[in-house]
Amino acid sequence: MATDTASLVLGIETTCDETAAAVVERRSDGSGRILSNIVHSQIEDHAPFGGVVPEIAARAHVDLLDGIVARAMQQAAVNFKNLSGVAAAAGPGLIGGVIVGLTTAKAIALVHNTPLIAVNHLEAHALTPRLTDALAFPYCLFLASGGHTQIVAVLGVGNYVRLGTTVDDAMGEAFDKVAKMLGLPYPGGPQVERAAASGDAERFAFPRPMLGRPDANFSLSGLKTAVRNEASRLSPLEPQDINDLCAGFQAAALESTADRLHVGLRIFRERFGAPHALVAAGGVAANQAIRGALQQVATAAGTQFMIPPPALCTDNGAMIAWAGAERLALGLVDSLEFAPRARWLLDANVTTPAKFANTRAGF
Ligand code: KG4
Ligand code: ZN
């Protein structure tokens, strides 16, 4: 039964390399307030390996999570007995970490006799703009992170339609791989952006993947290979070569993204009418050049562009707590039997052909 009263929800995020917990209040008018939001990034643990090592991530979550939950509760000045519910990201993600977060949430739910909400991590990204702004459904979400690249019609809580997805690499993954092949440190996205700022985007004629295609899908591996071929042709690379390769790659990724979103917004309008906003989320949305391009796409489509603050774009506990609170308000709670999920499509009605499945294990 729906219970649309004010609620206090603890949220736990452990699907990748952030160990995070937060307490969020959802008022009966649907507005939200973050009471605490503690995020521990494990970047330092994984950087020597050039990417996230699942086993190291899972062990770090075990070591850190209890302390981070305690800090989140303390900073929010909330007692467990005052919680309306406890939410955990139950997938999709690296299974070891998901197990740690979901099991912790189940233990809290059991001990304190409070409802459990098993949240889809992607749904949490999708609902975040409703935490920070009074955004009404429906809206169009562009989600681009290390594991996902999707255009999603957000029609209501639990009601999502994927309009486009990557057929190979995720966008953040492509940034990370380009950085790695050019000898830049992990995570590569910000490094590529920085190098691109001093580079000449015109020097190399890189392909613009999927440009002009009538569907709203993405492809990034051909572009990545083109960068690799150019880099090995020029090897050994001078600093200016690296800057120019980054600038060329980013410009191509950006032009392709703008084109894909242009199509995505057109499909959205045809199927669901005008969206209330184009929203960007995920780590790649931190890229200033991409933000600029998305703003232009939104303006051309006659809709507003919204982007949560950077700390809420990247993985965090507040987005999980908020998605939990939104579900709780509709009476959508889960049993303690809920099983962790390495893969979990946001749009359960869409079946993903194998070739569309993301290449990163666990997503
Ligand atoms: O959402 P996120 O923090 O974690 C998940 O992957 O779920 O996204 C991280 C990804 C990484 O691949 C990182 O390289 C990319 O977002 N990223 C960026 C930028 N900042 C982070 N990509 C391009 N430009 C950036 N400034
Ligand atoms: Zn994420």
Side-chain angles (χ1 to χ4, degrees):
M1 196 185 66
T3 51
D4 205 352
T5 53
S7 61
L8 274 179
V9 176
L10 167 68
I12 293 174
E13 160 58 36
T14 53
T15 61
C16 193
D17 61 343
E18 270 91 19
T19 315
V23 179
V24 163
E25 178 188 42
R26 184 184 183 279
R27 304 190 189 96
S28 48
D29 65 0
S31 64
R33 191 162 68 99
I34 298 173
L35 303 187
S36 64
N37 192 17
I38 313 284
V39 181
H40 174 88
S41 167
Q42 302 173 6
I43 282 178
E44 278 180 17
D45 302 331
H46 302 285
F49 304 94
V52 177
V53 183
E55 182 61 18
I56 292 177
R59 283 169 190 270
H61 290 308
V62 172
D63 289 344
L64 293 164
L65 186 57
D66 286 352
I68 285 183
V69 167
R71 274 175 61 200
M73 295 296 287
Q74 201 175 28
Q75 209 177 86
V78 169
N79 197 293
F80 282 106
K81 70 176 187 309
N82 301 123
L83 287 176
S84 319
V86 53
L94 300 172
I95 196 67
V98 176
I99 290 170
V100 175
L102 185 59
T103 307
T104 302
K106 284 178 180 176
I108 294 169
L110 190 65
V111 170
H112 299 284
N113 194 25
T114 191
L116 171 77
I117 307 109
V119 168
N120 180 315
H121 176 95
L122 303 177
E123 173 171 41
H125 276 302
L127 296 176
T128 300
R130 288 169 51 81
L131 164 61
T132 51
D133 298 88
L135 179 61
F137 299 118
Y139 53 89
C140 185
L141 173 77
F142 172 56
L143 175 62
S145 68
H148 307 279
T149 305
Q150 302 184 352
I151 302 174
V152 179
V154 182
L155 306 175
V157 175
N159 191 1
Y160 312 98
V161 177
R162 230 159 11 121
L163 304 177
T165 188
T166 180
V167 299
D168 40 55
D169 290 353
M171 193 166 291
E173 185 184 4
F175 270 86
D176 292 338
K177 285 179 177 170
V178 163
K180 199 169 181 178
M181 70 178 79
L182 300 179
L184 301 172
Y186 175 85
Q191 305 285 338
V192 171
E193 181 177 13
R194 199 167 307 134
S198 317
D200 173 9
E202 309 282 317
R203 180 168 160 201
F204 306 104
F206 288 136
R208 268 54 178 161
M210 314 296 256
L211 208 67
R213 289 251 308 230
D215 62 64
N217 288 331
F218 294 77
S219 168
L220 290 145
S221 80
L223 170 59
K224 182 192 65 190
T225 305
V227 177
R228 188 191 306 280
N229 291 344
E230 207 57 59
S232 44
R233 195 179 62 80
L234 291 172
S235 183
L237 297 173
E238 298 294 327
Q240 193 56 46
D241 295 330
I242 295 175
N243 294 345
D244 294 345
L245 287 164
C246 287
F249 164 76
Q250 184 173 278
L254 202 140
E255 199 178 321
S256 172
T257 300
D259 176 67
R260 306 293 68 217
L261 271 164
H262 182 72
V263 175
L265 281 165
R266 193 171 65 216
I267 296 173
F268 189 113
R269 203 174 275 270
E270 283 164 11
R271 292 180 62 180
F272 311 110
H276 283 118
L278 169 65
V279 174
V284 180
N287 185 297
Q288 294 298 328
I290 286 183
R291 280 171 180 233
L294 297 184
Q295 174 71 64
Q296 281 180 17
V297 172
T299 305
T303 191
Q304 63 168 327
F305 177 56
M306 284 180 55
I307 187 157
L312 295 178
C313 274
T314 50
D315 292 350
N316 65 87
M319 70 181 196
I320 306 299
W322 176 251
E326 291 249 64
R327 294 185 72 83
L328 187 63
L330 296 171
L332 300 170
V333 298
D334 296 284
S335 96
L336 294 180
E337 309 300 315
F338 196 99
R341 300 178 179 180
R343 292 175 181 274
W344 188 357
L345 289 179
L346 186 53
D347 176 358
N349 301 322
V350 171
T351 44
T352 312
K355 65 174 184 152
F356 281 16
N358 198 283
T359 49
R360 259 177 49 161
F363 292 86

